[in-house]
Amino acid sequence: MKLASLKGGRDGRLVVVSNDLTRYTDAARVAPTLQAALDDWDKCEAGLRELAQGLETGSVPVERFHERECASPLPRAYQWADGSAYINHVELVRKARGAEVPESFYEDPLMYQGGSDSFLGPRDDIVMAQDEGWGVDMEAEIAVVTGDVPMGVTPEEAKDHIRLIMLVNDVSLRGLIPGELAKGFGFFQSKPSSAFSPVAVTPDALGEAWDGGAVHLPLLVRYNGEPFGQANAGKDLTFNFPQLIAHAAKTRPLSAGTIIGSGTVSNKLDGGPGKAIAEGGDGYSCIAEIRMIETIYEGEAKTPFMKFGDTVEIKMKDGEGRSIFGAISQTVAKYERK
Amino acid sequence: MKLASLKGGRDGRLVVVSNDLTRYTDAARVAPTLQAALDDWDKCEAGLRELAQGLETGSVPVERFHERECASPLPRAYQWADGSAYINHVELVRKARGAEVPESFYEDPLMYQGGSDSFLGPRDDIVMAQDEGWGVDMEAEIAVVTGDVPMGVTPEEAKDHIRLIMLVNDVSLRGLIPGELAKGFGFFQSKPSSAFSPVAVTPDALGEAWDGGAVHLPLLVRYNGEPFGQANAGKDLTFNFPQLIAHAAKTRPLSAGTIIGSGTVSNKLDGGPGKAIAEGGDGYSCIAEIRMIETIYEGEAKTPFMKFGDTVEIKMKDGEGRSIFGAISQTVAKYERK
């Protein structure tokens, strides 16, 4: 089943989308918003699945689905917690500055609490007061949406609390990160509003690509129209989603609609740093990573961060080449106070 | 005007409370929940104020108000961002471990992104799997609730976006903090669910105690029934709420219902660390602080963190000794998975 929130109001309007992303049907009679459906999932799921089936058989009213009309599936959420499951990304950051990765990082997930009150839509501009000055970067990731999760949940139990899967652009301001992390309290200004894919899907919609813990497909990133990344989200992850959920729920319960992110998807190549797609590698899911590889091999970073007008597209295709979640497609633009 | 959310459903039931906290009237005809009222404040405020006036004149239906029936004013919120406005607290932490406070801390607020999906009610137990092992502690603070705040707001403009004021117990797990901060991504497991005062009040309800930036009254903390803290929330703050809001909104807008905290309220005594109330001082708003003072003067911390069964009460009184927000009153209890 595929769900989306068409723009309108603070929480959008819930619709069920056809598997091929061409049609939708309104879900208002089941739940007005995705948050409302998640709040009462046991009651709403069957009704939403009926609509999904009706869409495929043509037994419900349909409208043409346009990804550009979507807000993020949860335009605002009660929680956005982002992990760092792909340690390769962390290893590169550390290697570029000559530091070791602590042993504990392989047993205890890194996770930060993100802002969740004002997500961008998947086609919204990334509007910032500065571009290169703040080091605007994308981070292409996978995220899951949970139901209610009890405090102290085990990874094994956590599997059953995953309701939906989607893609994320975890926009990051690299220029603000060092100062902010040096203060010791984690990210805040350096992590502005994130954007999510037009469509969120239930785990079964991924078929064999979902193994209960991760999505085994390449995450396709284009930067200014050129292929930039195709790292496989099912490879090189040190922690899977159930483990990340258990980490988040160690000392408090998680409410329905909690979003848990994977961190930047990143693959190794022959056990070491990857290569650009043009050089036969799987590329990168953020600019910081190519800059780290440049630093390691060439002594300094050469690829600049995003400038006003630069574009990023993030999507994922199934085995037959069809877009699963629709595309996040964003342009960096200058913010002017009105 | 004073507002509360009676327990019921995920978001509680919005009521308007009399100034003396003895009576309430249902606000459903204006807005079903506090979040709904904040989402549409310009339309709802007048209706809520009419009910508040009706409560005082006896022209609306009234019920007896019981603080114990309250959820936190926002039982779940889209954002909880907690500052560290009272640098004395930070200075003590650093002094206890022989470190300097960086100059930048006096110009650039410390702030962390907190979890906001599952707040405790003001009388709910603080349920934890471990007590001393995790170093359970209270942090008594003030918080404001904002309306929609544009990105890049100035402190001067931010004043007008403050809708409500309330008290917080920012529960902290001191035993988990060092390991978590060492990982570099800030707090997560070390900051479990916070609790807020039964009542949230509009700035005008504080009269002269609110100067547009801070609350100039002592924050009263009792620990196991004994006076523990009475630090004045209007003294020794390096940053006021408008400055904290501007900090939070530097790179993204804040959505209506965003909660911004002051950090642990902490006063100096003659320019140095404070004293216990029993010794003629204004005491402490968290246990960590008295432990730091013990470390500075006696070489080691002596006061243990909270154990199962320990209680904390947080309240604030107006000039005539009347409770303004009602009391946060919580007991630490052992968590058992069901």
Side-chain angles (χ1 to χ4, degrees):
Chain A
M1 177 166 62
K2 301 193 175 189
L3 302 173
S5 296
L6 298 188
K7 286 194 173 194
R10 291 182 181 268
D11 296 296
R13 177 163 71 89
L14 181 62
V15 300
V16 182
V17 183
S18 63
N19 280 327
D20 63 2
L21 306 185
T22 62
R23 290 153 294 135
Y24 76 84
T25 190
D26 194 280
R29 72 174 174 86
V30 180
T33 66
L34 181 54
Q35 183 64 52
L38 290 161
D39 282 349
D40 216 0
W41 189 253
D42 288 344
K43 280 195 187 154
C44 294
E45 187 186 3
L48 294 172
R49 286 193 182 272
E50 261 176 48
L51 291 175
Q53 184 141 25
L55 261 178
E56 303 305 327
T57 59
S59 62
V60 295
V62 299
E63 304 276 349
R64 184 86 179 89
F65 180 67
H66 296 290
E67 297 179 18
R68 65 172 185 270
E69 293 173 0
C70 290
S72 279
L74 289 167
R76 55 179 179 173
Y78 294 104
Q79 177 155 238
W80 158 229
D82 198 11
S84 260
Y86 302 85
I87 292 277
N88 188 48
H89 177 75
V90 181
E91 286 171 343
L92 285 173
V93 180
R94 300 267 166 161
K95 197 165 178 183
R97 57 174 150 101
E100 293 287 309
V101 176
E103 265 310 306
S104 67
F105 280 25
Y106 296 93
E107 290 137 37
D108 183 37
L110 276 173
M111 183 172 278
Y112 77 90
Q113 191 86 50
S116 56
D117 62 316
S118 59
F119 293 137
L120 300 176
R123 303 296 167 92
D124 289 352
D125 285 347
I126 299 164
V127 179
M128 280 294 141
Q130 295 188 32
D131 53 352
E132 287 178 281
W134 283 353
V136 179
D137 197 1
M138 82 282 270
E139 288 195 347
E141 312 186 2
I142 316 290
V144 300
V145 181
T146 74
D148 290 307
V149 179
M151 173 157 51
V153 76
T154 65
E156 189 51 44
E157 295 165 330
K159 277 184 192 176
D160 297 331
H161 295 288
I162 296 172
R163 299 275 173 268
L164 298 168
I165 300 159
M166 52 194 184
L167 309 182
V168 197
N169 181 13
D170 180 39
V171 181
S172 298
L173 303 177
R174 305 291 178 194
L176 303 184
I177 288 179
E180 205 153 48
L181 294 196
K183 287 160 69 182
F185 276 18
F187 308 104
F188 198 98
Q189 295 173 337
S190 51
K191 291 286 188 180
S193 304
S194 300
F196 295 82
S197 50
V199 166
V201 311
T202 50
D204 58 282
L206 293 172
E208 287 184 3
W210 175 251
D211 67 359
V215 182
H216 293 260
L217 286 170
L219 183 59
L220 308 174
V221 183
R222 295 179 79 90
Y223 182 41
N224 290 327
E226 297 295 321
F228 188 75
Q230 56 187 26
N232 192 308
K235 264 181 62 186
D236 300 327
L237 64 166
T238 311
F239 306 102
N240 64 18
F241 280 109
Q243 290 170 314
L244 294 176
I245 292 169
H247 180 84
K250 180 176 172 181
T251 63
R252 52 182 159 103
L254 312 180
S255 275
T258 286
I259 305 170
I260 303 282
S262 67
T264 308
V265 176
S266 180
N267 288 168
K268 291 179 193 292
L269 183 67
D270 304 328
K275 278 187 191 168
I277 291 180
E279 293 167 22
D282 285 330
Y284 318 99
S285 303
C286 67
I287 294 173
E289 201 158 300
I290 188 172
R291 288 171 57 90
M292 291 181 262
I293 288 170
E294 289 165 349
T295 303
I296 293 166
Y297 289 118
E298 303 172 49
E300 60 174 342
K302 292 184 172 168
T303 306
F305 289 115
M306 297 177 87
K307 296 178 291 296
F308 296 129
D310 282 341
T311 63
V312 55
E313 186 195 76
I314 300 169
K315 66 200 292 188
M316 186 173 259
K317 293 178 179 175
D318 66 15
E320 276 111 56
R322 293 169 305 203
S323 175
I324 299 173
F325 303 94
I328 297 172
S329 184
Q330 302 188 276
T331 303
V332 179
K334 175 126 181 95
Y335 177 61
E336 309 282 359
R337 270 295 293 284
K338 278 159 209 145
Chain B
M1 175 165 64
K2 301 193 175 189
L3 302 173
S5 296
L6 299 187
K7 286 193 173 194
R10 292 182 182 267
D11 295 296
R13 177 163 69 90
L14 181 62
V15 300
V16 183
V17 183
S18 63
N19 279 327
D20 63 4
L21 307 185
T22 63
R23 289 154 295 133
Y24 77 84
T25 191
D26 194 280
R29 72 173 174 84
V30 181
T33 66
L34 180 53
Q35 183 63 53
L38 289 161
D39 281 348
D40 214 359
W41 189 253
D42 288 343
K43 279 195 186 155
C44 295
E45 186 185 4
L48 294 172
R49 286 194 182 272
E50 261 176 47
L51 290 174
Q53 184 140 25
L55 262 178
E56 303 306 328
T57 59
S59 62
V60 296
V62 300
E63 304 277 348
R64 184 86 177 87
F65 179 68
H66 296 290
E67 297 178 21
R68 65 173 185 272
E69 294 173 0
C70 290
S72 280
L74 289 168
R76 55 179 179 172
Y78 293 103
Q79 177 155 235
W80 159 229
D82 198 10
S84 260
Y86 302 86
I87 292 277
N88 188 47
H89 177 78
V90 181
E91 287 171 347
L92 286 173
V93 179
R94 300 268 167 159
K95 197 165 179 180
R97 57 173 150 104
E100 293 288 308
V101 176
E103 265 311 307
S104 66
F105 281 25
Y106 296 93
E107 290 136 38
D108 182 38
L110 276 173
M111 181 172 280
Y112 78 90
Q113 191 85 49
S116 56
D117 61 314
S118 60
F119 293 136
L120 300 175
R123 304 297 167 92
D124 289 352
D125 285 347
I126 298 164
V127 179
M128 279 295 140
Q130 295 189 35
D131 51 354
E132 287 178 282
W134 283 353
V136 180
D137 197 1
M138 82 282 269
E139 287 195 347
E141 312 185 3
I142 316 290
V144 299
V145 181
T146 74
D148 289 307
V149 179
M151 174 156 52
V153 75
T154 65
E156 190 51 44
E157 295 165 330
K159 276 184 192 174
D160 297 331
H161 296 287
I162 296 172
R163 298 276 175 268
L164 298 167
I165 300 158
M166 52 192 185
L167 309 181
V168 197
N169 181 13
D170 179 39
V171 180
S172 299
L173 302 176
R174 304 291 179 194
L176 303 186
I177 288 179
E180 207 153 47
L181 294 196
K183 286 160 71 184
F185 276 19
F187 308 104
F188 198 99
Q189 295 174 336
S190 52
K191 291 286 186 178
S193 304
S194 300
F196 295 82
S197 51
V199 167
V201 312
T202 50
D204 58 282
L206 292 172
E208 286 183 6
W210 175 251
D211 67 359
V215 182
H216 292 261
L217 287 169
L219 183 60
L220 307 174
V221 182
R222 296 180 79 89
Y223 182 40
N224 289 327
E226 298 294 322
F228 187 75
Q230 56 187 25
N232 193 308
K235 263 181 61 185
D236 300 327
L237 64 165
T238 310
F239 306 102
N240 65 18
F241 280 109
Q243 290 169 315
L244 294 176
I245 293 168
H247 180 85
K250 181 176 172 183
T251 61
R252 51 181 159 104
L254 313 179
S255 274
T258 286
I259 305 171
I260 303 281
S262 67
T264 309
V265 177
S266 180
N267 287 167
K268 291 179 192 292
L269 184 67
D270 304 329
K275 279 186 189 170
I277 291 180
E279 293 167 24
D282 285 329
Y284 318 99
S285 303
C286 68
I287 294 173
E289 200 159 301
I290 187 170
R291 287 171 57 90
M292 292 182 261
I293 289 170
E294 289 165 350
T295 303
I296 293 166
Y297 288 118
E298 302 170 52
E300 59 174 342
K302 292 183 173 169
T303 307
F305 289 116
M306 297 178 87
K307 295 178 291 297
F308 296 131
D310 282 341
T311 63
V312 56
E313 186 196 76
I314 299 169
K315 66 199 291 188
M316 185 173 259
K317 292 178 178 174
D318 67 14
E320 274 111 57
R322 293 170 305 204
S323 176
I324 299 172
F325 303 93
I328 297 172
S329 183
Q330 301 187 276
T331 303
V332 180
K334 175 126 180 93
Y335 177 61
E336 310 281 0
R337 271 295 295 280
K338 278 161 207 141

